[in-house]
Amino acid sequence: MYAISLGDDGAELRPLEPWRAEEFLVHIDRGREFVGQYNGLPDVVTDLESSRAFLQAYAEKAAADAGRLYGIRTDGTLVGAVLFRRMDVEQGTAEAGCWLEPSAVGKGLVTRATRVIIDWAVEERGIHRVEWWVSAVNEPSIAVARRLGMTRDGVLRESCLHGGKRHDEEIWSVLAPEWRAARQAS
């Protein structure tokens, strides 16, 4: 299996595949409460069967060129992920997302990993627009969108039901020409 280095700290990005279901469940269990603040994944991945099903669904999305899921590892331990929840190559659009368990927060892992997958989507798959949907109160995730050079397109008022409450969602995006220009400037 391949790994993509995320920097000098040993962090790396690797595909998450169905045969990793047990490890994935352990990872979700470590971060269940933290991840669940803004993300419904802990409600979906509750046992080994649902863990395997979640990873299988992303394997099928990858096979259909409709999404991808990559694990973020530090010192060999799965601590988070970045993904394309949706990807429509024909339309040239994709929605990126992420999560981390608490031990991995504040190290720039999501920003570095998301740069890798956006580069791939833009340069290899011809994606023109990458979106980032985020709870309007999830400041760390909004900060990632800003660091990635995304523009806030708007707010979907009370569009997301999570934890029994309606939440506003912000949509951020970056277009391929903006992405390339920013990468050349850095």
Side-chain angles (χ1 to χ4, degrees):
M1 167 140 40
Y2 70 87
I4 299 170
S5 173
L6 294 177
D8 295 339
D9 60 359
E12 56 187 23
L13 195 62
R14 293 179 183 231
L16 270 172
E17 299 173 336
W19 65 274
R20 297 266 191 194
E22 189 171 335
E23 175 191 35
F24 185 65
L25 178 60
V26 169
H27 155 65
I28 294 299
D29 284 343
R30 280 194 308 265
R32 188 168 298 282
E33 187 174 318
F34 182 78
V35 171
Q37 292 177 85
Y38 305 111
N39 187 320
L41 180 62
D43 296 332
V44 173
V45 177
T46 58
D47 57 21
L48 189 55
E49 183 180 336
S50 59
S51 178
R52 188 172 291 109
F54 181 83
L55 295 178
Q56 183 64 41
Y58 270 91
E60 291 168 12
K61 281 186 177 190
D65 207 18
R68 295 282 191 282
L69 177 61
Y70 300 95
I72 300 171
R73 296 178 175 279
T74 58
D75 300 320
T77 300
L78 180 62
V79 296
V82 291
L83 70 158
F84 286 116
R85 291 183 60 214
R86 294 176 306 204
M87 195 166 81
D88 184 333
V89 175
E90 186 176 316
Q91 289 295 316
T93 60
E95 179 194 345
C98 69
W99 68 83
L100 286 175
E101 59 185 65
S103 67
V105 171
K107 300 175 183 177
L109 294 170
V110 166
T111 302
R112 291 184 274 159
T114 305
R115 280 190 182 118
V116 169
I117 68 169
I118 291 175
D119 276 342
W120 173 82
V122 168
E123 301 305 338
E124 298 293 324
R125 299 305 302 127
I127 297 297
H128 177 73
R129 175 186 168 88
V130 177
E131 296 178 347
W132 189 262
W133 290 49
V134 58
S135 167
V137 296
N138 187 344
E139 288 298 327
S141 191
I142 291 169
V144 169
R146 286 188 178 113
R147 283 192 296 276
L148 292 170
M150 293 184 166
T151 299
R152 188 175 95 160
D153 293 330
V155 176
L156 300 175
R157 298 176 310 131
E158 297 186 8
S159 64
C160 179
L161 181 61
H162 180 69
K165 291 176 45 183
R166 291 227 158 255
H167 299 269
D168 293 351
E169 283 184 294
E170 295 185 4
I171 301 174
W172 291 71
S173 70
V174 65
L175 304 179
E178 298 164 342
W179 183 256
R180 289 182 183 117
R183 298 300 280 163
Q184 288 177 350
S186 62

